[in-house]
Amino acid sequence: MLKRIFLLAGCLLALAVGVAACGDDDDETTGGAATTEQANGTAASEEGTIVAVAQETPDLSTLVDAVVAADLVKTLEEPGPYTVFAPTNAAFDALGEETLNNLLKPANKSELSEILTYHVVPGELTASELSDGQTLKTAQGDTLDVKVADSGVTVNGATVEMPDVEASNGVVHVIDEVLTPPRG
């Protein structure tokens, strides 16, 4: 795990910000990384990139490992903006240990990248901008279907557990499932 954190830090566009985000728990010195409120499950305004937000959110550590394995760190640190539907650790756990470990192997980088980019939509869409029946085109090329009800928002059936986690280059909506692109 420590090795992956250092790999991630090495890939950051701004190394000083990346090292601070990876190695310092003092939120005032992390260049705007996620706050205590986010770690406890509430959204807060952020100055860090999507990657920095994910790094500082304990329930997104598997996503960070996957982003590193797929070599998508630099992409998710570009100006964007992006809307990211970020699966929790429990969502990745639901895939099963064998499936997850297989996806994280270098030989499966292309498949992992396809899955992860299916969670990214170009442009910034807050929860209030999502509407029932809306179709979103992903960075991967396929689409996601949005449902909005009194009970909340779902994307391809995955429930948005924590909406509107702001980042300097977009917004993150934490979801309870890993979305898989259609095969065809």
Side-chain angles (χ1 to χ4, degrees):
M1 179 67 158
L2 186 58
K3 180 178 178 184
R4 287 185 178 156
I5 291 171
F6 283 114
L7 282 172
L8 183 56
C11 293
L12 296 175
L13 293 175
L15 186 57
V17 172
V19 171
C22 290
D24 190 344
D25 292 331
D26 181 2
D27 287 334
E28 292 179 3
T29 62
T30 60
T35 63
T36 304
E37 290 85 9
Q38 282 187 317
N40 293 330
T42 60
S45 178
E46 293 306 319
E47 298 297 325
T49 65
I50 289 168
V51 173
V53 168
Q55 286 174 321
E56 293 298 319
T57 305
D59 202 29
L60 298 180
S61 62
T62 305
L63 176 63
V64 171
D65 291 344
V67 167
V68 170
D71 283 335
L72 292 174
V73 173
K74 287 183 182 179
T75 300
L76 290 175
E77 289 191 325
E78 290 178 3
Y82 304 107
T83 299
V84 176
F85 296 96
T88 62
N89 291 346
F92 279 103
D93 290 345
L95 295 176
E97 185 176 349
E98 184 177 336
T99 299
L100 181 57
N101 288 338
N102 195 40
L103 280 172
L104 294 174
K105 290 180 181 176
N108 298 318
K109 182 173 147 181
S110 177
E111 181 181 1
L112 180 61
S113 179
E114 182 176 335
I115 290 169
L116 293 176
T117 56
Y118 188 59
H119 292 77
V120 178
V121 175
E124 184 172 345
L125 296 167
T126 63
S128 66
E129 294 171 309
L130 299 174
S131 59
D132 192 44
Q134 187 176 17
T135 301
L136 306 174
K137 184 160 179 139
T138 70
Q140 176 268 349
D142 284 308
T143 59
L144 300 172
D145 296 318
V146 177
K147 302 281 184 213
V148 179
D150 291 338
S151 58
V153 176
T154 62
V155 179
N156 280 21
T159 300
V160 175
E161 294 183 337
M162 185 178 9
D164 298 334
V165 180
E166 294 179 24
S168 63
N169 61 340
V171 65
V172 176
H173 303 290
V174 179
I175 59 175
D176 67 349
E177 293 180 32
V178 175
L179 306 174
T180 53
R183 302 281 181 214

